[in-house]
Structures are given as C-alpha cells and as structure tokens.
Amino acid sequence: MTHRDIAPEQRSTEVGPPLWLLAELTYRCPLQCPYCSNPLDFAHTQTELSTEQWMEVLRQGREMGAAQLGFSGGEPLVRQDLAELIGEARHLGYYSNLITSGIGLTKAKVDTFLEAGLDHIQVSFQASDSELNNALAGSRKAFEQKLAMARAVKEAGYPMVLNFVIHRHNIHQMNDIIDLCDRLDADYVELATCQYYGWAFRNREALMPSKTQLLTAETAVKSYRERLAASGSRMKLIFVTPDYYEERPKACMNGWGSLFLTVAPDGTALPCHSARMLPIDFPNVCETDLRTIWYDSPGFNHYRGDSWMPEPCRSCDEKARDFGGCRCQAYLLTGNADNADPVCSKSPHHDRVLAARRAADHATTGLEDLTYRNTENSRLFFRS
C-alpha cells in the first residue's frame, strides 16, 4: 500500500515529504562520552545495514524529496564504506554533513571525502583542555587528534564547525572554549548545553548545571559575541539552552514526522534519533519502503497533528507552535509519551523539572559519578 491509497481523512494530518535524513550508520564508537544520545541498550543492536542497503535508503529518501543528509553514529568513521556512501549522496544531489568525533579521521580521509563530494564536517570536542577532554571521552589521545583534524578540515576548504556539549563539568570553561575556537579559526561553534536523553538522562544528576552556572555561561557568550563583532570576526556562536531551564517546550523536530527522518544502524526508521525508547512499533527499511514508512506507518502517524493531545495541550493556543513539546522527554519524565512535555509550565508534571533544577543547585557530583557509554555498561544495564 502507498500513501496515495489512503484517504486523506484516514491520516492524522496533511503530510509533506521528509527534508532532512539522518543516517545513523553505526552505534560503534571509540569514545565513551557519558552524554551520548545513543540508546542505553545499543550493545544489543549488532546488525548494521550493508553498503547497498544504505544506498537504497539514500535513493528512496532523495526520491521523496529529502535534501539534507547527515552521516552520524556512534562514530561514522568506523564504517569502511563511508567514502562510497558520500559519493552516492553527491550523485543523488544531497547536501551531506559528517558528524564526527574526529577519532579515526586523517588528512587523507578528509581529502578523500572532499573529492567524493562531502559538503560539511562537524567535529566535536569535550572540553577546552586535554585533561578534561580526554577524561570525558575515555581516550588519552582524543584532544590532540581533534585539534589536528579540526585544522585539517579547515585546510581542506571546509567551513570549520565545532560542537561542544556543555554540562556542569565543563561549563566553567566557556571563555577558554571560545578562545580555543577562535584560535582554530572556527566559522561556527555550537555550544549545546546537554539535553537529557539516552546516556545523558542516565547521568542527569551528574551533568546538569545549576542555574547560576548557566547564567554565568550565557553572560560569557554574550560578552564574547560583542568582542567578536567589534573585531570583525566572522565566527558565529550558537548557544543552546537546556530544555530543563525553559518554561515552554521546544518544537521538537518541528513536529513529529514533519521534516526529519532517522534511520538507525539496523534499519529501524524513526521520527527522531531518540524515539526508539518509546513503546511504539517502528518499521524497518529492510521490510518496508521508505515512502510507505513515512506516510502510512502507525509509528510515524502516532503523534502527527493534534488529535492525540490531552489537556492542557489540546486547548492551548501555542500547540501549533510547540506541538506539545518532546514525546521522548514526556516519556522519560512521566512514563507516558502522550503527556504534555513537563518542561512546559502548564504541564501537571512540571514539578519534576523544577525538582531537577533544585537538585542541580546543590549537586556535588564529580567525574567519578558518571556512567560512561561503553559496551560493557550497555550490556550490564540490560543483561537478561
């Protein structure tokens, strides 16, 4: 059955094509970041799509209208066919982006990816100094490798896009982090305060900054922006405030099944990269074509539109703006993904977010209190 076979009144809302396709090529990764967005049970997902299967996913996505393509993981560089997939993406007409830790990258690979047609590379860091960066990453050589690869990306002619996940253990480094980015001649810097899904939710009490820490960091970013503007620098600083310190939820993924389509390493298709935690049956690209998945599957239609919304979302005049917030966050905080996102001050469960804020104001946790993302811990949590 195709989407054309379903009468409009049988669908939850009018659906356009997916414009952004995220290819999570693998859950394998050499690092152990305690805020990784991969599922806690990633070790149980051993199967990965083959090169040809991924190429078929890319073809189907492009035929539907997807224009932007992200290669992520885990660490996508562990896939030996990455250059081949990049070449196919260029052939199909995608704007492609590699999201990487930089571990496993070399100057030769940067040149190969450029020749294959990759448009954009984002390199992530854990901190502004080697000691903290390497402790968080779980690798003694990570920081120097990241520095070298950030420079190689810039030298190859790519815009330098750097990402730092900000939390209570590195938020005090804000000025040092931006100084480092300035020295590297970065074009764009994403200072993404931790969002609590996956391993970050598991470690929330040890990662969440206090309100004072957050305000101090925001002030530092604002001041640095003014200095950059005065000096004529083109470096752009993007500061992402954590949901837990907002009073209104974000328009998560611009609405469920609206623009974004994620394909996990084993072929599971998801409306966002965190959605496989939900008690919803999501289809697999090995069994169903992408068009049918996007338009017709119960999983992708589950939270489209607003007919699913309970109060207070159903009668809220902001529901067309925030779509009820994040379903994964509602599930993690309340046990029911149908509920209003507890970040919203109108939610009957908002007290749980307020309690998390209060706990962050008095937390005394250190790096030793973090549970690191690795195969051993993943298997330990879900040992049958």
Side-chain angles (χ1 to χ4, degrees):
M1 178 183 291
T2 70
H3 72 288
R4 298 182 184 86
D5 299 316
I6 292 184
E9 63 270 16
Q10 291 180 286
R11 292 194 218 117
S12 58
T13 187
E14 189 61 33
V15 182
L19 299 180
W20 218 109
L21 175 62
L22 180 66
E24 289 189 310
L25 300 180
T26 181
Y27 285 145
R28 292 176 287 157
C29 183
L31 301 187
Q32 303 183 59
C33 305
Y35 45 75
C36 180
S37 63
N38 286 169
L40 290 173
D41 63 348
F42 73 86
H44 288 199
T45 305
Q46 298 292 330
T47 303
E48 292 180 7
L49 297 183
S50 67
T51 304
E52 184 51 46
Q53 286 173 318
W54 272 119
M55 286 188 172
E56 183 59 27
V57 168
L58 302 188
R59 292 175 196 131
Q60 291 183 24
R62 191 74 185 100
E63 287 171 1
M64 293 170 65
Q68 288 205 210
L69 171 66
F71 291 113
S72 75
E75 174 48 69
L77 289 167
V78 305
R79 290 280 302 215
Q80 299 304 303
D81 56 358
L82 182 54
E84 193 175 352
L85 294 175
I86 290 169
E88 181 65 12
R90 168 51 62 92
H91 171 72
L92 292 169
Y94 282 102
Y95 181 93
S96 59
N97 176 26
L98 174 62
I99 304 164
T100 177
S101 67
I103 307 303
L105 193 60
T106 64
K107 187 179 185 307
K109 286 183 179 179
V110 171
D111 293 339
T112 297
F113 296 158
L114 183 63
E115 184 177 352
L118 185 66
D119 294 291
H120 180 275
I121 300 177
Q122 175 186 293
V123 179
S124 66
F125 280 77
Q126 281 72 30
S128 63
D129 68 279
S130 60
E131 182 177 1
L132 181 56
N133 187 102
N134 295 347
L136 288 164
S139 169
R140 290 176 294 177
K141 300 179 180 179
F143 187 70
E144 292 303 320
Q145 168 71 6
K146 289 171 181 290
L147 288 178
M149 289 306 101
R151 295 186 180 107
V153 166
K154 185 76 174 184
E155 289 169 4
Y158 284 108
M160 185 186 289
V161 183
L162 303 181
N163 171 273
F164 288 78
V165 176
I166 305 299
H167 46 80
R168 70 180 302 112
H169 301 293
N170 67 2
I171 197 168
H172 64 283
Q173 293 187 334
M174 192 59 67
N175 279 312
D176 292 335
I177 286 172
I178 304 174
D179 279 342
L180 172 62
C181 296
D182 198 18
R183 292 197 303 273
L184 290 171
D185 196 21
D187 296 284
Y188 299 92
V189 179
E190 184 179 28
L191 304 163
T193 45
C194 206
Q195 306 294 328
Y196 300 102
Y197 306 95
W199 292 77
F201 186 77
R202 171 80 184 187
N203 286 306
R204 190 186 70 191
E205 290 184 9
L207 288 173
M208 189 167 166
S210 68
K211 181 70 171 181
T212 299
Q213 287 178 310
L214 183 64
L215 291 175
T216 300
E218 288 178 332
T219 299
V221 173
K222 180 181 178 181
S223 176
Y224 218 114
R225 281 192 183 123
E226 293 171 352
R227 287 158 55 190
L228 290 171
S231 68
S233 171
R234 293 179 297 176
M235 185 169 73
K236 303 297 183 186
L237 302 179
I238 304 164
F239 188 83
V240 183
T241 303
D243 290 359
Y244 279 55
Y245 284 105
E246 300 282 10
E247 295 302 314
R248 288 289 180 272
K250 65 177 181 292
C252 190
M253 311 307 290
N254 202 51
W256 181 278
S258 172
L259 296 176
F260 297 88
L261 194 162
T262 297
V263 179
D266 63 353
T268 302
L270 303 163
C272 79
H273 62 275
S274 295
R276 72 185 308 160
M277 76 172 74
L278 301 177
I280 295 174
D281 185 23
F282 290 108
N284 193 292
V285 299
C286 297
E287 302 164 355
T288 311
D289 67 272
L290 216 55
R291 183 176 292 273
T292 300
I293 286 171
W294 178 259
Y295 288 103
D296 298 342
S297 70
F300 274 76
N301 279 291
H302 203 95
Y303 291 115
R304 279 177 171 151
D306 57 19
S307 61
W308 61 271
M309 290 183 179
E311 294 295 349
C313 297
R314 181 178 290 271
S315 58
C316 180
D317 59 5
E318 297 182 57
K319 67 181 180 181
R321 186 181 312 148
D322 60 35
F323 311 106
C326 177
R327 299 302 89 223
C328 297
Q329 200 152 253
Y331 180 71
L332 285 169
L333 289 171
T334 75
N336 186 347
D338 292 358
N339 288 330
D341 188 336
V343 162
C344 182
S345 61
K346 299 179 182 181
S347 165
H349 301 100
H350 187 59
D351 62 305
R352 301 182 189 189
V353 171
L354 298 179
R357 293 181 195 173
R358 289 192 296 271
D361 282 336
H362 300 94
T364 57
T365 52
L367 296 181
E368 68 278 2
D369 298 302
L370 293 166
T371 301
Y372 288 84
R373 182 259 197 222
N374 55 50
T375 301
E376 181 180 355
N377 282 334
S378 179
R379 289 174 177 159
L380 193 64
F381 295 148
F382 292 89
R383 182 175 293 164
S384 58

